[in-house]
Amino acid sequence: ICIRARSRTAQSNEFTKVELYRMTKSSSIVSVKALEDGTTITPRGWLTFDDENAKGETSHMLSIIGDDAFGQEAVWSCQSQTFKDNFMDLWNMFGGEPFTLKKISGATKAGRDYVNCDLA
């Protein structure tokens, strides 16, 4: 049996086993790149983890748990360094106070697509 490795590297706070499952293994995790621009979430916490795929390649992932625009729990995940950097800037700036972020995207001068986030 091959089990993909998922090792947590940092987290905002302690999570229950259910939350950890939802943030690292659940099939209901939404990839940030699949979201429409303008989609919002009010984060309650985050964790980073290393995810190894079947080919043995490791991705450094950020998973965010929070409430969507309808007040329902949502989990977003991404590996975009731009998104991760801007999310952490927002998280640290608000220092535990609630805030809502929105997904944005664009294209680099070289024509490569990227995902990012901004304050909603």
Side-chain angles (χ1 to χ4, degrees):
I1 296 174
C2 177
I3 299 174
R4 295 190 319 173
R6 288 183 170 101
S7 59
R8 284 176 276 153
T9 55
Q11 60 191 53
S12 60
N13 46 284
E14 291 299 314
F15 295 105
T16 66
K17 290 177 184 178
V18 170
E19 290 170 324
L20 289 172
Y21 174 82
R22 287 183 177 150
M23 296 173 75
T24 60
K25 298 182 186 226
S26 174
S27 59
S28 63
I29 295 171
V30 178
S31 171
V32 169
K33 65 182 176 185
L35 295 167
E36 289 187 35
D37 280 1
T39 302
T40 62
I41 190 172
T42 302
R44 293 193 317 262
W46 59 267
L47 62 81
T48 56
F49 63 99
D50 293 335
D51 188 19
E52 186 178 316
N53 66 19
K55 297 178 185 176
E57 301 162 333
T58 300
S59 298
H60 305 291
M61 306 297 293
L62 167 68
S63 194
I64 303 166
I65 192 167
D67 298 315
D68 67 15
F70 305 102
Q72 300 295 310
E73 183 179 270
V75 177
W76 291 4
S77 187
C78 76
Q79 63 185 37
S80 162
Q81 194 61 50
T82 301
F83 185 100
K84 292 188 288 187
D85 290 345
N86 285 324
F87 172 79
M88 294 309 292
D89 287 346
L90 284 166
W91 182 268
N92 292 330
M93 185 175 291
F94 279 84
E97 294 176 33
F99 67 96
T100 301
L101 63 89
K102 64 182 175 182
K103 184 257 184 171
I104 58 175
S105 63
T108 65
K109 291 177 184 176
R112 294 182 52 202
D113 293 334
Y114 67 88
V115 296
N116 201 348
C117 62
D118 198 2
L119 195 57

